[in-house]
Amino acid sequence: MVTLIQPVRGMNDILPDDERLWETVEAAAADLFRRYGYRRIRIPVLEKTDLFRRSIGEMTDIVEKEMYTFEDRNGDSLTLRPEATASVVRACLSHGLLHNRQQKLWCSGPMFRHEKPQKGRHRQFHQINIEALGHAEPEVDAELIVMSARLWDALGVHATLEINSLGTPASRTGYKQALVDHFDRRRGDLDADSSRRLQRNPLRILDSKNPAMQELIAGAPVLEDYLDPESRDHFERVRTLLTDVGVEFTVNPRLVRGLDYYTRTVFEWVTDRLGAQSAVCSGGRYDGLVSQIGGRETPGVGWALGVERVVELMRDEGFDDTGPEPDVYVVGVGDRAQRECFSTAERLRDAVPAVRLVMGPPGGFRAQLRKADRSGARYALIVGDDELAAGKFSVKPLREDRAQELVPRDELAGWFERELGRKQ
Ligand code: ATP
Ligand code: MG
């Protein structure tokens, strides 16, 4: 026998049993975005490697160790997208969508990061992303955060919101020096990643997940003391707006996020329900990104949510994920009846578009009826020699204590329409 080909580690199949959860998340998000006037954009999964190097930052975990980068047949270095923001900005610039215009956009799809696979952490995972470009005002930061809060309400999941302000690159310079001084004094306690980042990107040290580093990080100076007045006002306004509409949050002065492009507002929805993984949705403002990618100076703000983690939370909340069951299961006994069933099924699908009607494989009456029952269908539509002769089909309610009925062939559509409209 030939050996079975295994799936690629960390790349998951999402099976039909989970589809209802996925569909619910996707539909709720699409509905929310429509209500707030965000339009969908679809971007490729592959980009030039430089796009991510330039935007995400050389000293970040993503660029240093997580990207799927390869040379294509032309010798170009390409990367499977590890996140969407850089690609959305690139797409806007490629098509001139930011010429004297603002954009409120969303997208969704798979992202790729070569991480250690575990619960809630995969190498191909899915995000839903939202990006507002050309909006500098704190109202848009708040709008985006409120939208994510609404999404949790719609999906019945619980998470807590942490926010912080990173200020502007200029205000961060003083802070970076203070960080370098702090960590330099305890140089011997830094892990390898952190010592490497100390000079070039000390902020990244705050994002370290290494438990051994946490005490050192807790004692570090806080960015808030270095914020410029405009960033301070901006941050205060965001907090006021959130409070006005009843969105609760805590300020986490250590929140810096894993990508370099953030400015001012950053936030993360966290939970303790996902084992070692805590972030469900994260984002922030990235006023420097568009010019970094080669466009004109344009403010931006956005977030990304991890669909797998949200689905896991919904499951944890007891979301009922049994898929929609069929309404009608067709049982045809014998070759002639089977043929009749085929065309009857098609006529019913035309006449009653809402009906979920399935045909099982041929077989004996009892075996087919057992399958009809197991399918969860409300009715079995039964056709045998007697029915063919009489021109009337048997309909057997499977979930109610009710007698089987004989329905004339021509009246079947009307019968099912009435029955399906009736509450079970
Ligand atoms: P983490 O701290 O868990 O590594 P991150 O800061 O790298 O997350 P972002 O780059 O902000 O994550 O991505 C946004 C969201 O995408 C995260 O909040 C999370 O829900 C999800 N996500 C990130 N990486 C993965 C992954 N490897 N597998 C599944 N979901 C992920
Ligand atoms: Mg990460």
Side-chain angles (χ1 to χ4, degrees), residues 328-332 338 341 345 357-360 368 379-383:
V328 185
Y329 189 101
V330 186
V331 174
Q338 198 77 32
C341 283
L357 185 147
V358 301
M359 282 187 68
Q368 287 201 58
Y379 308 96
L381 175 64
I382 303 165
V383 187

Side-chain angles (χ1 to χ4, degrees), residues 66 113 115 121 209:
E66 298 175 358
R113 296 185 193 174
E115 301 194 70
R121 191 172 292 286
K209 303 248 160 57

